[in-house]
Amino acid sequence: MSNSTISMVVNNNAVIKDKDILIVRLLNGMDLITEVVMVDKETVRIKNPVRMVMMPPGANGNPTIGFAPWAEFSSDKSFDLKPEHVLAIMTPIPEFIKQYQSMFSKIVTPSKQLILPPGV
């Protein structure tokens, strides 16, 4: 973190590091997956936040999660939240991190599986 003292930890007691991709649950119940840039006593600075939205069940009958824009009418990419409006900061499951990174990163990490042409 920059010159500020960390005032929040993720629920598993891990210190929030610069540019961590985390779930931020707001007091209104909305969950954002976002890059957490900075946390101090006065500000939770986030970058490229998207809402996590429950979608109708898929073909297998299980509910799915979709990502939707947050502050979609703003051209800003970075936002300062008041810590008192943040209920919790959580570590997302790896699949959510990968999906989020594919939305904002120019480099997508390939899966460990090899892709082979048919018949090989």
Side-chain angles (χ1 to χ4, degrees), residues 23 30-33 50-54 65-68 92 96:
I23 297 171
M30 186 179 296
D31 287 330
L32 305 176
I33 186 164
V50 293
R51 290 182 295 131
M52 300 175 69
V53 181
M54 285 290 269
I65 300 292
F67 292 164
F96 288 172

Side-chain angles (χ1 to χ4, degrees), residues 62-83:
N62 294 331
T64 57
I65 300 292
F67 292 164
W70 184 72
E72 57 268 23
F73 301 113
S74 173
S75 62
D76 296 338
K77 301 297 181 204
S78 181
F79 302 89
D80 289 348
L81 305 175
K82 293 181 179 184

Side-chain angles (χ1 to χ4, degrees), residues 24-64:
V24 175
R25 175 163 290 170
L26 302 176
L27 276 179
N28 66 6
M30 186 179 296
D31 287 330
L32 305 176
I33 186 164
T34 184
E35 186 178 314
V36 176
V37 178
M38 188 261 311
V39 175
D40 65 22
K41 289 181 180 182
E42 299 174 5
T43 305
V44 176
R45 181 165 295 141
I46 60 175
K47 181 179 175 188
N48 294 327
V50 293
R51 290 182 295 131
M52 300 175 69
V53 181
M54 285 290 269
M55 304 297 286
N60 60 5
N62 294 331
T64 57

